[in-house]
Structure formats: C-alpha cells, structure tokens
Amino acid sequence: MNKADLIEIVRETAGTTKAAAGDADCPRRWGPVDAVFEAMAKSLKKEGGFTIVGFGTFKVSKRGARKGRNPQTGETIKIAASKSVRFKASKQLKDTL
C-alpha cells in the first residue's frame, strides 16, 4: 500500500472527495491523511516518539558513527551518525496478523 492507496481508502470510508481526503496534488489543502503524517513527523522530531494504542509505538533511534566498506572497491569509509525511526507493533496488531 502506498499513500495514494491510503487516501483512496480514507475517501471511500469517509464518503468524501479524493482532494478532501488528502490528495498529494493539492499541497495547500491538507486532508486528513496529510495531517496525520505531518503530526507524526512533528511528534517524532519534538518528543522523540509516540504511541498509537492498539497499533504500535514509533520511536526515534540514534545510530552512532562507524566504519564501513565500499563494496565495489573494498575501501574503508566513515559512516556518519544518523537518526532513524523504529516501529514496534502492539499486541493487538500482532494478534490481528
């Protein structure tokens, strides 16, 4: 499933138009899907994570700098520190699957 599929499901469920559900072609008009994604990104940036009860937990994870290898040349390279998002599914979601 991609964002367009999610927008279509929201449109069908809510009985609304595609633009109102969060059409990606309408950057000035925020639909519910875009609003949820924006709220998730802001929460991750500001608070470091959040939980959706019955679905799971999203959390920012820090990766330290490390050494790696270029697979083409075998040369040792430095990999910079970075941040990533981790997801842990709730028990309810796991039981549904």
Side-chain angles (χ1 to χ4, degrees):
M1 177 187 299
N2 59 28
K3 185 177 175 183
D5 296 335
L6 182 59
I7 289 170
E8 184 62 25
I9 291 169
V10 170
R11 185 198 66 76
E12 289 174 3
T13 304
T16 185
T17 66
K18 187 175 178 183
D23 191 355
D25 296 333
C26 300
R28 293 187 181 155
R29 196 181 323 167
W30 282 46
V33 173
D34 289 325
V36 168
F37 288 153
E38 182 68 17
M40 290 170 73
K42 284 182 179 179
S43 178
L44 286 167
K45 185 175 183 180
K46 183 177 179 182
E47 300 171 16
F50 62 92
T51 300
I52 299 174
V53 177
F55 187 71
T57 301
F58 293 85
K59 190 175 186 180
V60 174
S61 174
K62 296 178 184 177
R63 294 183 188 170
R66 62 191 191 278
K67 292 181 182 179
R69 273 196 201 278
N70 180 334
Q72 291 180 338
T73 65
E75 178 185 359
T76 301
I77 59 172
K78 287 175 134 181
I79 301 172
S82 63
K83 293 181 182 178
S84 180
V85 177
R86 302 215 182 236
F87 174 73
K88 182 178 179 185
S90 71
K91 182 179 181 330
Q92 292 169 325
L93 180 59
K94 288 179 184 177
D95 292 344
T96 301
L97 302 176

